[in-house]
Amino acid sequence: QVRLVESGGGLVQPGGSLRLSCVASGSIVNMYAMGWYRQAPGSQRELVAAITSSGYTHYADSVKGRFTISRDNDKNTVYLQMNNVNPEDTAVYYCNYGPRSWGQGIQVTVSS
């Protein structure tokens, strides 16, 4: 599996913004789609956003218009720009690469 390391999480106030980053390393032999998932306590892990190597994007309805996913293929990095966050965005966010590679997760807490 490819190693994925997330960064950029933490505490943010409602209405604020933050950017998550995920760097992929190791033996990368395929340009799989990358994505961000999240899991809140007592909830199932859900897809937040995904992006293909060519730039096609998909967003969960709950984050459309607020979050933006992007990637830099040369740096093997995917980003999640989170704007106008609300407490419902509080979760552990996981970076995903292809069908079976996952980051360890990073906490995002939205609270006043």
Side-chain angles (χ1 to χ4, degrees), residues 67-85:
F67 293 5
T68 302
I69 189 170
S70 61
R71 67 188 292 169
D72 185 334
N73 290 332
D74 291 336
K75 297 181 179 179
N76 295 319
T77 301
V78 64
Y79 307 93
L80 185 68
Q81 179 67 45
M82 306 170 62
N83 295 329
N84 193 28
V85 297

Side-chain angles (χ1 to χ4, degrees), residues 6 8 10 19 26 28-30 32 36 38 50-52 55 57 59 74 76 90 94 96 107-109:
E6 303 104 332
R19 188 178 76 160
I28 302 175
V29 297
N30 294 300
Y32 289 128
W36 290 94
R38 67 186 182 188
I51 184 169
T52 68
T57 59
Y59 297 93
D74 291 336
N76 295 319
T90 296
Y94 297 88
N96 166 257
Q107 179 71 44
V108 173
T109 301

Side-chain angles (χ1 to χ4, degrees), residues 9-66:
L11 177 65
V12 62
Q13 294 185 343
S17 299
L18 74 168
R19 188 178 76 160
L20 305 182
S21 299
C22 173
V23 180
S25 62
S27 182
I28 302 175
V29 297
N30 294 300
M31 290 300 295
Y32 289 128
M34 299 185 72
W36 290 94
Y37 288 70
R38 67 186 182 188
Q39 186 168 19
S43 301
Q44 298 292 315
R45 186 175 298 187
E46 64 175 353
L47 175 66
V48 177
I51 184 169
T52 68
S53 61
S54 61
Y56 176 85
T57 59
H58 170 80
Y59 297 93
D61 288 341
S62 60
V63 307
K64 286 181 179 178
R66 300 189 298 119

